[in-house]
Amino acid sequence: MGSALLAGCSNSSETASSEEEAATETTTTAADGDTIKVGILHSLSGTMAISETSLKDTALMTIDEINANGGVLGKQLEPVVVDPASDWPLFAEKARQLLTQDKVDVIFGGWTSVSRKSVLPVVEELNGLMFYPVQYEGQEQSENIFYTGAAPNQQAIPAVEYLMSPEGGSAERFVLLGTDYVYPRTTNQILRAFLKDQGVADEDIMEEYTPFGFSNYQTIVSNIKKFSTGKKTAVISTINGDSNVPFYRELTNQGIEASDIPVMAFSVGEEELRGIDTNLLQGHLAAWNYFMSVKNPTNSDFTKAYKKYAVDQKLPNADKVVTNDPMEATYVGINMWKQAVEKAGTTDVDKVRIAMGGQTFDAPSGYTLKMDEENHHLWKPVMIGQIRSDGQFDVVYKTDDVIRAEPWSSYIPK
């Protein structure tokens, strides 16, 4: 799966023209009805539900917030929620349903790259619009997708640089451990090339993949312990979904602490840690662009609003809900789309696409984020957090300002 990289901007002019014609039949505008329909495309069942359910809830909260403030272009937003159930082909089917049957004007959704790549040809064919809220491997750019999560230069590479620094433990040996699909494989291809560029030998890099839903990490963790003998070692984890719970439990079972072998996770945040005894994980790390624990008035408002929404909607464990990076990216994406629609004066995809360039938003991270005028990616800060016993993160590193995304890594030939 990891080798099937799509270049979304490679369509011929003839194809683009036919897509524009199709758009007149499949894409509605605000003038077509009493409401503006918004598609929510997240796995609410299956292995990815642990991560994606909260993104659906964040999207609905944001829509309620916008509607309470007058809606968009004087109309209320009407969410259309579908469950692709952690089934990658079903993401494509549900995206097509949203655009052709439900007549939504925009889709917010996805977590895994394989889900995004399933949707990409559908939104390009129908000239739909999708906002993707999770960090990813890059190597992609589409006229029909806006990427509000991090590109590799806004997460993966800075995280490894931190681990190699004295502050991060001066790691010399690295375990690249991930779920077996495009995001971990491509990210680790980039990181392997980066590490070699930094003088790390092949024999000091261990690379291993497990299927979605994998739970038996006993042998893998044992092998990591053996591999770490003799040199300071760190684990780069691109494990996704509910497999994170048994992985971290096995670390504890085998007595591995952060001071011995720190784990830097790219897909574990506050939500995933709710299912783990974090007393035993103190000191392990995660790289994101937002943490719930950051202190500023915008984040205080965001976290309070989500907690209130959880209680009002009687969400499971409503008194213990948390916010995380993809939730913030969802919130930012929906609000930026609203701003672009209002600037364009329509929900027409071609006009909104143009209006999105240069949009800014004061995000809960405490930074003003900007949508790049050229590459459909956000300028974002980089943060590294250390797990606390309460399941939150202490921010141990952050950039002074936002960083422009580089979707095409120089470590992978085009």
Side-chain angles (χ1 to χ4, degrees):
M1 287 184 284
S3 62
L5 298 178
L6 295 175
C9 289
S10 63
N11 294 342
S12 66
S13 59
E14 291 83 3
T15 303
S17 176
S18 64
E19 287 173 357
E20 289 171 6
E21 292 170 6
T24 63
E25 298 177 4
T26 60
T27 306
T28 61
T29 64
D32 291 335
D34 295 330
T35 62
I36 298 174
K37 290 187 176 181
V38 174
I40 311 297
L41 181 68
H42 282 300
S43 295
L44 310 180
S45 56
T47 189
M48 291 308 302
I50 185 176
S51 296
E52 294 193 60
T53 299
S54 61
L55 303 193
K56 177 266 296 181
D57 293 327
T58 303
L60 294 178
M61 178 201 77
T62 310
I63 289 169
D64 283 355
E65 190 176 275
I66 290 171
N67 284 340
N69 288 305
V72 179
L73 300 180
K75 299 192 176 190
Q76 295 285 284
L77 299 181
E78 178 185 344
V80 181
V81 179
V82 294
D83 177 18
S86 306
D87 180 334
W88 318 131
L90 194 55
F91 268 87
E93 293 178 29
K94 292 294 186 181
R96 187 174 295 276
Q97 172 194 317
L98 286 170
L99 291 170
T100 62
Q101 297 178 32
D102 299 309
K103 304 291 186 181
V104 302
D105 288 297
V106 63
I107 295 171
F108 297 94
W111 181 292
T112 67
S113 284
V114 66
S115 69
R116 185 193 69 254
K117 287 185 176 297
S118 295
V119 172
L120 188 149
V122 176
V123 292
E124 289 190 337
E125 174 196 342
L126 300 174
N127 198 32
L129 196 61
M130 178 181 180
F131 282 71
Y132 176 72
V134 185
Q135 89 293 348
Y136 85 120
E137 71 282 354
Q139 317 314 117
E140 181 181 294
Q141 193 172 325
S142 172
E143 288 291 295
N144 297 88
I145 297 181
F146 284 94
Y147 306 79
T148 57
N153 73 301
Q154 297 169 313
Q155 184 197 38
I157 289 176
V160 173
E161 288 177 326
Y162 176 80
L163 289 171
M164 298 178 81
S165 71
E167 296 79 11
S170 301
E172 301 174 280
R173 187 174 281 167
F174 295 85
V175 178
L176 308 180
L177 177 62
T179 304
D180 192 5
Y181 75 106
V182 61
Y183 164 63
R185 284 192 175 274
T186 309
T187 297
N188 288 338
Q189 183 182 357
I190 292 168
L191 291 181
R192 182 178 279 274
F194 171 75
L195 289 169
K196 290 177 73 172
D197 192 52
Q198 299 299 307
V200 178
D202 275 333
E203 57 265 28
D204 287 326
I205 303 173
M206 171 183 167
E207 194 167 346
E208 182 111 19
Y209 298 94
T210 57
F212 279 99
F214 188 78
S215 61
N216 186 5
Y217 282 94
Q218 185 173 355
T219 300
I220 291 173
V221 171
S222 178
N223 289 339
I224 290 172
K225 287 180 72 173
K226 293 174 186 174
F227 180 72
S228 69
T229 303
K231 284 188 177 181
K232 187 65 177 176
T233 301
V235 176
I236 308 295
S237 172
T238 47
I239 297 171
N240 264 258
D242 53 11
S243 291
N244 279 293
V245 176
F247 168 63
Y248 280 101
R249 283 179 180 160
E250 189 57 38
L251 290 177
T252 301
N253 291 343
Q254 297 198 29
I256 295 178
E257 298 181 358
S259 56
D260 304 319
I261 306 173
V263 175
M264 175 75 76
F266 294 167
S267 296
V268 172
E270 295 84 346
E271 182 68 20
E272 289 76 17
L273 290 178
R274 286 209 295 167
I276 307 172
D277 182 1
T278 49
N279 279 304
L280 305 171
L281 298 182
Q282 292 183 67
H284 287 300
L285 304 161
W288 291 102
N289 315 102
Y290 162 87
F291 289 103
M292 182 178 176
S293 59
V294 298
K295 296 191 182 332
N296 63 70
T298 305
N299 191 40
S300 179
D301 291 344
F302 176 60
T303 55
K304 286 177 182 175
Y306 187 70
K307 289 177 180 178
K308 182 179 186 303
Y309 178 84
V311 171
D312 291 346
Q313 298 298 316
K314 299 181 172 57
L315 300 184
N317 300 307
D319 58 329
K320 298 178 181 177
V321 294
V322 294
T323 57
N324 64 20
D325 180 287
M327 292 167 70
E328 190 221 27
T330 296
Y331 182 74
V332 170
I334 295 174
N335 277 290
M336 275 194 172
W337 171 81
K338 170 187 178 289
Q339 292 173 182
V341 169
E342 290 176 337
K343 179 180 178 181
T346 176
T347 56
D348 177 79
V349 168
D350 294 328
K351 294 178 181 177
V352 172
R353 180 190 296 119
I354 295 170
M356 275 296 299
Q359 287 290 339
T360 61
F361 189 76
D362 293 333
S365 64
Y367 295 74
T368 299
L369 310 187
K370 184 180 84 165
M371 181 57 69
D372 194 82
E373 292 89 345
E374 298 177 3
N375 66 26
H376 282 205
H377 288 66
L378 277 183
W379 294 50
K380 306 193 76 168
V382 180
M383 298 185 187
I384 293 172
Q386 195 170 56
I387 298 174
R388 304 191 315 218
S389 61
D390 63 355
Q392 290 292 317
F393 291 86
D394 285 324
V395 178
V396 295
Y397 169 83
K398 64 179 181 178
T399 53
D400 293 332
D401 206 347
V402 292
I403 307 298
R404 184 178 190 253
E406 298 173 6
W408 299 100
S409 173
S410 60
Y411 292 104
I412 294 182
K414 284 191 180 181

